[in-house]
């Protein structure tokens, strides 16, 4: 995830360096264009950061899930939210800092808001001429402001103000990160360690559940296909025996060997216990509505799976029937 954040930050720098900035130089649209370019891409990058972070979905699921047999801890959700926001805000903050240090967006957005009394070049202009001139400040190639000292003075003033804000924000963020890193060991780490452990547990538990579901789906599909072929083989052999019964004497039909993989080992017994569509649906519903308690010593009956159909018990030394009820 840190690599994804670094990649988004590099993409942000590349996008900003390749972006062709064109201020409209109109009094009613400069602020809209400049502020929109300053804050709209960071919002898009922030949403991309949330989408790229899998933990954001896990956080929402943990927040909205029913309590069931497991106590819900708001501290875990807050810790996960803090971790997700810190990573998702990296690229937007870089964009805003680059835009402020560059100054083009700031000059475009606030050129019409400059106080003309701060500059001596506007003393001989009417208010309407001043507003028109200030709106043209970002466009240095415009005939009205080309080679004008007043335009250079206003642009320099706004650019310096933008860079001052950008460097101030940079220093503030570095100071906050420094204080957070240095002061955190001075406080009790018990709660922090607990929340970090359980947030990692929730994420890993969901990953393992998804992997186990994929494993069971593959095994279940494999068993269903083998069961279908075994049934078709038995049916074809039965039809062939009835067809040849008139010309042959009664013979004991040969029992077909069960296909490989139907009786499997005990390594997948926990997966083979769920052997019907109704049981799978009931298991998934129980996992969502009533997750098992975080106590491995608790009785399995308290987990609320509600699976009434059990897998057939196999006596050691015997083999299951090839006609498994799927």
């Amino acid at each position: 995830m840190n690599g994804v954040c670094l990649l988004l930050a590099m993409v942000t720098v590349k996008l900003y360096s390749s972006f062709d900035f064109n201020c409209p130089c109109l009094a009613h649209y400069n602020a809209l264009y400049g502020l929109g370019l300053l804050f709209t891409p960071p919002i898009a990058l922030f949403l991309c950061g949330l989408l790229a972070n899998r933990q954001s979905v896990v956080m929402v699921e943990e927040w909205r899930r029913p309590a069931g047999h497991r106590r819900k801890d708001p501290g875990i959700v807050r810790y996960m939210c803090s971790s997700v926001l810190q990573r998702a805000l990296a690229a937007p903050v870089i964009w805003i800092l680059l835009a402020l240090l560059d100054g083009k967006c700031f000059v475009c957005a606030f050129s019409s808001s400059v106080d003309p009394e701060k500059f001596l070049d506007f003393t001989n202009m009417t208010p309407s001429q001043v507003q028109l001139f200030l709106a043209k400040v970002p466009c240095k190639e415009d005939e009205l402001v080309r080679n004008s000292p007043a335009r250079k003075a206003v642009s320099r003033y706004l650019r310096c103000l933008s860079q001052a804000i950008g460097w101030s924000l940079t220093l503030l963020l570095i100071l906050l990160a420094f204080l957070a890193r240095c002061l955190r060991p001075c406080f009790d780490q018990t709660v922090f360690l607990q929340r970090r452990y359980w947030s990692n547990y929730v994420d890993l538990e969901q990953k393992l559940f998804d992997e186990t579901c994929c494993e069971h789906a593959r095994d279940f599909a494999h068993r269903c296909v083998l069961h279908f072929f075994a049934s078709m083989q038995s049916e074809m052999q039965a039809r062939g025996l009835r067809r040849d019964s008139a010309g042959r004497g009664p013979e004991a039909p040969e029992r077909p060997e069960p296909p490989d993989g139907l009786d499997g080992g005990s390594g997948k017994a926990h997966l083979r216990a769920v052997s019907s569509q109704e049981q799978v649906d009931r298991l998934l519903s129980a996992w969502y509505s009533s997750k098992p308690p975080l106590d491995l010593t608790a009785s399995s009956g308290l987990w609320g799976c509600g699976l009434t159909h059990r897998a057939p018990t196999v006596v050691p030394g015997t083999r299951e029937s090839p006609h498994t009820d799927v």
Side-chain angles (χ1 to χ4, degrees):
M1 196 56 228
N2 293 331
V4 173
C5 293
L6 181 60
L7 180 62
L8 285 176
M10 296 175 60
V11 170
T12 301
V13 176
K14 184 63 177 178
L15 283 176
Y16 188 84
S17 61
S18 61
F19 183 77
D20 188 13
F21 183 84
N22 292 309
C23 185
C25 295
L26 297 174
H28 299 290
Y29 296 98
N30 283 6
L32 182 63
Y33 181 83
L35 294 177
L37 189 61
L38 184 63
F39 294 109
T40 302
I43 294 175
L45 291 171
F46 176 73
L47 296 178
C48 290
L50 292 180
L51 291 175
N53 195 342
R54 180 184 177 276
Q55 200 173 24
S56 59
V57 180
V58 178
M59 176 195 66
V60 176
E61 291 178 351
E62 178 66 18
W63 175 45
R64 297 297 301 170
R65 71 169 177 85
H69 297 287
R70 182 181 300 179
R71 180 176 59 88
K72 296 176 66 174
D73 187 0
I76 298 177
V77 178
R78 289 195 297 268
Y79 178 86
M80 298 175 69
C81 181
S82 174
S83 176
V84 169
L85 291 179
Q86 288 176 13
R87 289 168 173 165
L89 286 174
V93 168
I94 291 177
W95 177 279
I96 293 176
L97 292 178
L98 287 175
L100 289 175
L101 295 176
D102 184 57
K104 293 179 181 178
C105 296
F106 197 87
V107 172
C108 181
F110 297 101
S111 62
S112 299
S113 304
V114 173
D115 186 6
E117 297 181 357
K118 295 182 179 180
F119 305 93
L120 300 177
D121 302 274
F122 298 114
T123 56
N124 298 327
M125 295 183 183
T126 62
S128 60
Q129 291 176 339
V130 170
Q131 290 300 319
L132 180 60
F133 185 91
L134 292 177
K136 299 293 183 179
V137 166
C139 302
K140 60 182 179 180
E141 300 298 332
D142 192 275
E143 295 181 359
L144 181 62
V145 297
R146 185 183 301 173
N147 299 325
S148 172
R151 189 207 70 82
K152 294 180 181 180
V154 174
S155 178
R156 189 183 306 113
Y157 168 76
L158 291 175
R159 192 180 294 271
C160 291
L161 184 60
S162 175
Q163 291 178 354
I165 296 174
W167 283 116
S168 299
L169 288 178
T170 303
L171 180 60
L172 178 62
L173 293 175
I174 294 175
L175 182 61
L176 290 177
F178 174 77
L179 292 177
R181 179 62 64 89
C182 294
L183 295 180
R184 191 177 67 182
C186 300
F187 299 94
D188 187 10
Q189 297 293 299
T190 304
V191 177
F192 172 76
L193 293 176
Q194 291 174 350
R195 291 177 178 176
R196 184 173 63 178
Y197 174 87
W198 289 115
S199 65
N200 292 333
Y201 171 85
V202 171
D203 189 15
L204 292 174
E205 182 188 53
Q206 188 61 41
K207 285 182 180 179
L208 291 175
F209 181 78
D210 294 340
E211 293 174 0
T212 306
C213 286
C214 292
E215 182 182 358
H216 178 269
R218 181 178 180 85
D219 181 74
F220 187 48
H222 182 68
R223 292 163 61 198
C224 287
V225 171
L226 292 180
H227 178 74
F228 170 76
F229 278 98
S231 301
M232 292 299 297
Q233 182 181 6
S234 301
E235 183 178 353
M236 288 187 295
Q237 288 180 353
R239 289 180 180 179
L241 288 176
R242 286 197 299 267
R243 186 178 304 169
D244 299 339
S245 59
R248 295 182 181 180
E251 295 180 0
E254 296 182 0
R255 182 180 179 87
E257 292 293 330
D260 294 335
L262 272 177
D263 43 346
S266 59
K268 294 185 178 180
H270 60 291
L271 299 179
R272 296 178 181 274
V274 183
S275 55
S276 69
Q277 183 178 359
E278 291 77 11
Q279 290 181 351
V280 173
D281 293 339
R282 196 177 301 115
L283 182 142
L284 296 177
S285 177
W287 176 261
Y288 171 75
S289 61
S290 180
K291 286 191 176 181
L294 298 176
D295 185 5
L296 298 180
T297 61
S299 174
S300 59
L302 299 176
W303 286 26
C305 292
L307 300 177
T308 56
H309 301 283
R310 301 289 183 178
T313 304
V314 181
V315 180
T318 62
R319 305 180 66 181
E320 295 179 350
S321 171
H323 305 289
T324 305
D325 183 12
V326 295

